[in-house]
Amino acid sequence: MNNILFKDFDSVSEAQWKQNIQMDLKGADYNETLITATREGINIKPFYHRESAPEIHIPNRSSKTNDWYISQRVYAGNALAANKKALDILKRGGEGIIFTIPHKDIDPAVLLKNLPKAVIQLHPQFFDLDYIQSIYKITPHAYVHIDIIHQLVNDGNWFKNKDQDHKNLDAFIKDFDGYFSNITINTTTYQQAGATITQELAYFTAHLNEYLNHLNDVGHLSAFKESNDAEVHTQRSRSVKAKKRINIDTAIGSNYFFEIAKYRAYRILTKTLGDVYGIDLDCYITASPSLRNKSLMDYNVNLLRTTTECMSAILGGADTLCNIPYDTFFNKENEFGDRIARNQLIILKEEAYLNQIGNAADGSYYVDTITKQLVEKGLEIFKDIEKAGGMVQSLFEGTIQRKIKESAQQEQQDFNDGKRVLVGANKYPNAALPLQKEYEILPFVKMNPRKTLVQPVITRRLTEELEKSEMKKL
């Protein structure tokens, strides 16, 4: 078909395109006029051509289909109430539940009663093997997400201590079959604290390498090399033999095309690192919109932000999408916010048919190019981290925290100067929707001084200082 349509047209080389552009510029400098620098250290060109486009292979979604799951996060502070809410979500278009379990007094039998077995993620905020065993007896096909390094990053301390946490992790991987226990890498804190995409990908790779290196040393890496006899049942595919995989919990930023490339890069980096250890690593990516760019000012715009962010993660190949309500950081959980967030994803699936296409960005010279560049730059930072002793060592030395802080400060300065635009906040403010003196939830960072092993990485929204200064005028 292409030959028929274009046989009467001469092909235009990349050099010819650039020459024509330079002629149209009439003396203006090509680089200064048309090349756009980014925080990631990647320069965006005005056009991309197949002559210089890389050939890259993006591993498929874990489901090996075009489809993705609509999930919703439920805080399980009360087992009975959380169970009731989860059942209601699944009746109203949700396809999965992500339970955040705050403490081990939550009864898993009550929490998981009558819930389907293949669509439940459990995120305990503690690490207790006996509790996890009680979950396994009830629903061995759930997915338990435990990330001891994220605990260190986010809290500044291990769950118990380094040795005990790693010992528990060994048992967690070794003693439970299939996808119930995997390596989980949570990169949400990096992104929401202000890391660039290249930093996020590099810290993910270093984070993952810490686990693979440790499991290799203790002899448990074999769990990722061969299928075992457990079977995982999904709603959309026949039973398949299970092996371990990498769970990646992520936050979606606002840079649409770069975020598409980021999710593709996650899969490439996972496979690349697996190849180093001689294993064929598969990853399962859960994506939720970031709070970094959400604002109290003209807060309804947050709905638009979360929609485009979810689209970029879908097109980038995320497996599960968990949207956030537009008011999640300043209002208590409410039916309206939850329903609208869920319906945004249902519309993208059922009305926009974004579950009918796979690897939608394939063949885009632009997206392929920045995917390759993100991988390369992420690996460069990763190698520097490894030379310095690895991810955990760099956290104890404060290197990771310092790099993220520098990046966050630059982004904050760009926002303050109007270079980083957030509609309704530093551009086109909505006078008809003023700030309030008080909110149901404190929408700002609340510091909790305490003794920690390392400096925690602090997440912060870009608009916080602006909001505080405007609220003082009320």
Side-chain angles (χ1 to χ4, degrees):
M1 179 63 74
N2 286 342
N3 291 335
I4 296 174
L5 288 174
F6 298 109
K7 66 179 182 177
D8 294 330
F9 298 90
D10 294 330
S11 60
V12 181
S13 69
E14 187 170 6
Q16 287 174 303
W17 272 113
K18 188 170 182 179
Q19 185 179 28
N20 287 340
I21 291 171
Q22 288 175 323
M23 289 177 60
D24 290 341
L25 287 173
K26 297 179 180 178
D29 185 87
Y30 177 90
N31 290 331
E32 291 184 3
T33 307
L34 298 179
I35 300 295
T36 303
T38 68
R39 298 174 64 230
E40 284 69 32
I42 294 172
N43 293 328
I44 302 174
K45 300 188 295 185
F47 76 100
Y48 290 80
H49 196 280
R50 65 181 177 184
E51 286 181 3
S52 57
E55 290 187 12
I56 57 176
H57 172 69
I58 310 297
N60 291 325
R61 284 186 169 100
S62 288
S63 65
K64 311 303 179 187
T65 71
N66 300 333
D67 210 351
W68 40 275
Y69 288 101
I70 297 171
S71 200
Q72 187 166 327
R73 198 174 304 276
V74 175
Y75 181 75
N78 178 291
L80 186 62
N83 174 265
K84 182 178 179 182
K85 181 173 182 177
L87 289 170
D88 181 65
I89 289 168
L90 295 175
K91 289 177 183 177
R92 301 171 68 185
E95 298 167 324
I97 302 296
I98 300 175
F99 282 121
T100 300
I101 307 176
H103 50 77
K104 60 183 179 182
D105 291 336
I106 300 301
D107 187 345
V110 176
L111 181 65
L112 301 170
K113 186 178 180 180
N114 296 328
L115 290 176
K117 296 179 179 179
V119 293
I120 307 301
Q121 286 187 28
L122 300 164
H123 294 225
Q125 304 303 291
F126 54 93
F127 200 172
D128 186 291
L129 290 172
D130 290 336
Y131 188 87
I132 293 172
Q133 179 65 46
S134 68
I135 294 172
Y136 186 75
K137 289 178 180 178
I138 297 167
T139 175
H141 301 294
Y143 311 126
V144 177
H145 289 221
I146 292 283
D147 184 355
I148 61 176
I149 295 177
H150 175 256
Q151 167 70 15
L152 181 67
V153 169
N154 201 51
D155 185 73
N157 292 308
W158 301 100
F159 285 108
K160 293 185 179 177
N161 57 64
K162 181 180 179 181
D163 291 341
Q164 187 62 52
D165 281 8
H166 279 84
K167 184 178 179 181
N168 287 347
L169 180 67
D170 297 342
F172 177 66
I173 295 295
K174 175 175 154 295
D175 295 345
F176 298 103
D177 292 331
Y179 292 159
F180 182 87
S181 66
N182 297 284
I183 293 174
T184 294
I185 312 293
N186 189 324
T187 64
T188 58
T189 296
Y190 306 136
Q191 197 283 336
Q192 294 185 121
T196 66
I197 293 176
T198 47
Q199 287 175 328
E200 177 186 340
L201 292 169
Y203 300 156
F204 157 74
T205 311
H207 197 140
L208 175 57
N209 192 52
E210 288 280 346
Y211 287 137
L212 294 179
N213 190 48
H214 169 75
L215 292 174
N216 189 48
D217 287 344
V218 298
H220 294 335
L221 202 58
S222 58
F224 294 84
K225 293 182 178 179
E226 297 177 358
S227 298
N228 56 36
D229 293 332
E231 289 191 339
V232 172
H233 300 271
T234 65
Q235 290 182 326
R236 298 172 188 166
S237 64
R238 62 181 180 275
S239 298
V240 295
K241 286 188 177 180
K243 63 177 183 178
K244 304 296 183 185
R245 66 186 178 197
I246 309 303
N247 295 325
I248 313 175
D249 296 334
T250 67
I252 318 164
S254 62
N255 191 335
Y256 188 78
F257 290 106
F258 271 59
E259 288 294 318
I260 293 174
K262 179 181 87 174
Y263 282 96
R264 303 167 95 225
Y266 266 122
R267 295 197 185 278
I268 294 174
L269 288 168
T270 301
K271 188 176 190 317
T272 299
L273 197 56
D275 290 345
V276 172
Y277 286 88
I279 52 180
D280 184 16
L281 279 185
D282 184 26
C283 65
Y284 190 98
I285 302 176
T286 300
S288 295
S290 172
L291 287 175
R292 178 73 176 162
N293 64 331
K294 305 305 181 289
S295 178
L296 294 172
M297 307 173 82
D298 203 5
Y299 53 77
N300 290 319
V301 177
N302 293 333
L303 285 164
L304 309 179
R305 295 187 178 109
T306 55
T307 300
T308 61
E309 288 159 5
C310 287
M311 284 180 64
S312 61
I314 292 166
L315 297 178
D319 297 285
T320 284
L321 270 292
C322 178
N323 197 11
I324 60 173
Y326 71 100
D327 59 349
T328 188
F329 60 96
F330 62 89
N331 277 341
K332 293 179 181 178
E333 281 189 10
N334 59 87
E335 200 280 334
F336 178 79
D338 286 347
R339 178 171 57 84
I340 294 300
R342 185 172 59 248
N343 285 349
Q344 287 173 262
L345 294 176
I346 294 173
I347 287 172
L348 291 176
K349 175 175 279 197
E350 303 294 346
E351 297 187 24
Y353 303 108
L354 292 188
N355 63 327
Q356 300 297 317
I357 53 174
N359 292 339
D362 279 1
S364 165
Y365 306 146
Y366 173 44
V367 176
D368 281 350
T369 300
I370 58 177
T371 299
K372 180 174 182 288
Q373 291 174 319
L374 287 175
V375 169
E376 290 172 345
K377 290 188 176 294
L379 286 174
E380 287 177 11
I381 300 173
F382 163 66
K383 290 174 183 177
D384 290 339
I385 294 171
E386 290 305 298
K387 288 177 183 177
M391 186 67 178
V392 172
Q393 181 66 31
S394 295
L395 285 167
F396 272 89
E397 292 177 356
T399 307
I400 302 297
Q401 297 91 325
R402 176 171 53 81
K403 292 291 186 181
I404 293 176
K405 186 176 181 180
E406 290 171 355
S407 174
Q409 287 174 337
Q410 183 58 61
E411 186 181 26
Q412 188 68 58
Q413 190 61 53
D414 288 344
F415 171 78
N416 295 343
D417 294 342
K419 297 176 184 177
R420 171 76 160 91
V421 173
L422 288 180
V423 175
N426 64 346
K427 198 165 188 177
Y428 311 121
N430 183 3
L433 195 62
L435 292 169
Q436 302 169 201
K437 290 184 178 180
E438 293 183 358
Y439 292 88
E440 292 181 0
I441 298 173
L442 180 68
F444 308 120
V445 172
K446 184 178 181 180
M447 303 304 291
N448 179 25
R450 65 194 187 283
K451 186 176 181 180
T452 60
L453 295 171
V454 303
Q455 179 185 354
V457 176
I458 305 299
T459 62
R460 190 186 305 272
R461 294 182 300 106
L462 278 170
T463 57
E464 287 193 20
E465 295 307 315
L466 177 60
E467 291 162 356
K468 288 178 182 178
S469 65
E470 290 299 314
M471 288 172 71
K472 289 178 180 177
K473 302 174 184 179
L474 298 176

